[in-house]
Amino acid sequence: MSAKRNIVATFGLVAVVVAAFVFQVRPSGPKSAALAKRQHAMEMLGARIAKLRPECKVLVLSNPFTKESGYLDEKSRYERAGLRGLGKGLGGQSTVEVVFPEIRPEFLANPESVIIPSNSRTPLSFVVRPASVDELAGAHPECSVIVSLIGLPVGVDRLKIWNEKDPRCFALLLPDLRLLGPPAKVVEAFQREKLLVAVVEDFQSGDPLIVTRDNIAETLKRQPSSLGF
């Protein structure tokens, strides 16, 4: 009888462990809703990229702090949700290459040495080494669209890929476009399609809002804070 009880107890323990693992991997509540919202937003972004640049090759700038993080790490889960949505929106005709820009060495040595505005929604814009974005783009010349999950790096307008003669363009998730200067600079970047598309929150509905050259001026007028202003 004792052996039988041990077997039952063992199976019971295994069931509890499995249930706990499933609960962790498939969370419920606000976090689950936030992950679903991110995935939906990126799916919309991917669908618009596919419409504007059919069958393109896409380079994704991902959060470098997720590179070594565990599967259940919250940052990693948000990155995976975004990538799932992007892939679904792009469909099967586009290919995706995920890369990780480098962190500024001075930040790694002393995080307090890098000033990050407290109201920035893309703090990694100030943390990544800008030249590393040029280097990654140069290593993947076949990728005509650069999707950033972490915003534009500070000084992006001084990079080679920002030059008007470079045909590559950016697609952005919840960007802070104050980095480009006044709103007129942002409109210019969209009009020449260096900024191809961005997804922000529509403050009226709470749903994702796709921003392109067709509605950038209207979006800046109606809800400038959605773009960081």
Side-chain angles (χ1 to χ4, degrees), residues 6-195:
N6 287 338
I7 292 173
V8 172
T10 299
F11 274 107
L13 179 60
V14 170
V16 170
V17 171
V18 170
F21 180 77
V22 170
F23 179 78
Q24 286 181 307
V25 173
R26 304 179 67 179
S28 60
K31 285 187 179 180
S32 180
L35 288 169
K37 186 174 182 179
R38 185 181 183 91
Q39 181 169 331
H40 177 54
M42 287 301 296
E43 183 178 344
M44 290 181 62
L45 186 72
R48 185 56 60 96
I49 293 171
K51 182 178 180 180
L52 296 173
R53 296 289 189 274
E55 301 183 21
C56 64
K57 296 184 186 300
V58 174
L59 187 69
V60 179
L61 305 181
S62 192
N63 185 344
F65 290 108
T66 66
K67 192 174 182 181
E68 305 297 335
S69 59
Y71 185 82
L72 296 180
D73 179 82
E74 187 172 354
K75 294 188 296 294
S76 294
R77 287 159 62 185
Y78 274 91
E79 292 296 283
R80 291 198 304 274
L83 291 172
R84 283 195 301 270
L86 178 65
K88 186 175 181 180
L90 287 170
Q93 301 304 311
S94 297
T95 59
V96 175
E97 183 75 28
V98 180
V99 294
F100 302 89
E102 292 180 12
I103 302 298
R104 289 175 178 267
E106 60 268 33
F107 179 84
L108 294 175
N110 178 18
E112 294 182 358
S113 67
V114 177
I115 299 175
I116 302 174
S118 60
N119 63 346
S120 175
R121 66 165 63 95
T122 59
L124 286 172
S125 294
F126 303 86
V127 173
V128 301
R129 186 172 67 85
S132 71
V133 176
D134 253 347
E135 292 162 6
L136 290 169
H140 300 276
E142 73 284 0
C143 294
S144 59
V145 178
I146 302 171
V147 174
S148 180
L149 303 179
I150 59 175
L152 294 171
V154 172
V156 65
D157 56 336
R158 296 190 294 273
L159 297 181
K160 294 178 182 178
I161 53 174
W162 195 259
N163 190 289
E164 61 182 12
K165 294 181 180 180
D166 193 308
R168 290 169 291 185
C169 57
F170 286 88
L172 306 173
L173 169 68
L174 303 175
D176 185 343
L177 297 182
R178 292 175 298 177
L179 297 172
L180 297 178
K185 288 286 188 181
V186 174
V187 173
E188 177 191 8
F190 271 98
Q191 290 302 324
R192 68 184 181 97
E193 293 194 330
K194 182 55 67 175
L195 291 183

Side-chain angles (χ1 to χ4, degrees), residues 200-217:
V200 301
E201 181 182 359
D202 188 325
F203 290 164
Q204 292 183 349
S205 66
D207 296 327
L209 171 66
I210 293 296
V211 181
T212 66
R213 62 185 301 176
D214 296 328
N215 66 342
I216 178 59

